[in-house]
Amino acid sequence: EYKENYLNLDLLNLPFDTKKLGTSDRFNDSPVDYALLTNELNADIRDMEGCAIVQTTLCSNLPVYSVKAISDVAGSGSTTEQFLINKDKALKNLQAELPTIFEEL
């Protein structure tokens, strides 16, 4: 059971920007959801699955490593359209960084 709204994580020494993930039971691209993400959660990225995985592993005292290739930007229109436009670039970016990630692990 969590009494705080935020999970404290240990970070690897990777050469990437650290961002705060915000989670909710749903996100769309409405002004209300964008305000929830940025103003109330003080998050940089919306993420539902990654947050659930991290919370589950922390509750189970298991290590977890999470890297996110972002395919859509909150507040920038249809997430489906953005995903279709950006998915190939996001995957190429992730693929290019995998050696760095595995070296650190």
Side-chain angles (χ1 to χ4, degrees):
E1 176 181 341
Y2 288 99
K3 300 194 186 307
E4 299 294 326
N5 288 332
Y6 300 96
L7 303 174
N8 292 318
L9 305 175
D10 292 328
L11 303 174
L12 295 174
N13 190 26
L14 290 170
F16 306 120
D17 292 339
T18 301
K19 300 293 183 184
K20 295 178 185 174
L21 300 181
T23 192
S24 178
D25 60 349
R26 66 166 178 78
F27 280 118
N28 61 35
D29 210 41
S30 73
V32 172
D33 279 356
Y34 186 73
L36 168 67
L37 178 73
T38 57
N39 298 336
E40 291 183 45
L41 297 177
N42 195 28
D44 303 299
I45 301 167
R46 57 182 170 203
D47 184 80
M48 296 165 76
E49 300 81 7
C51 291
I53 291 167
V54 169
Q55 186 175 20
T56 300
T57 58
L58 289 175
C59 287
S60 301
N61 292 318
L62 296 171
V64 63
Y65 302 95
S66 178
V67 176
K68 184 165 181 68
I70 300 170
S71 60
D72 60 88
V73 178
S76 296
S78 168
T79 57
T80 302
E81 289 176 20
Q82 287 187 70
F83 172 76
L84 294 173
I85 293 168
N86 297 323
K87 67 180 174 67
D88 291 337
K89 184 177 181 181
L91 290 173
K92 281 184 182 180
N93 289 340
L94 178 60
Q95 184 180 23
E97 297 299 340
L98 283 177
T100 302
I101 293 166
F102 287 129
E103 184 177 309
E104 184 61 32
L105 294 175

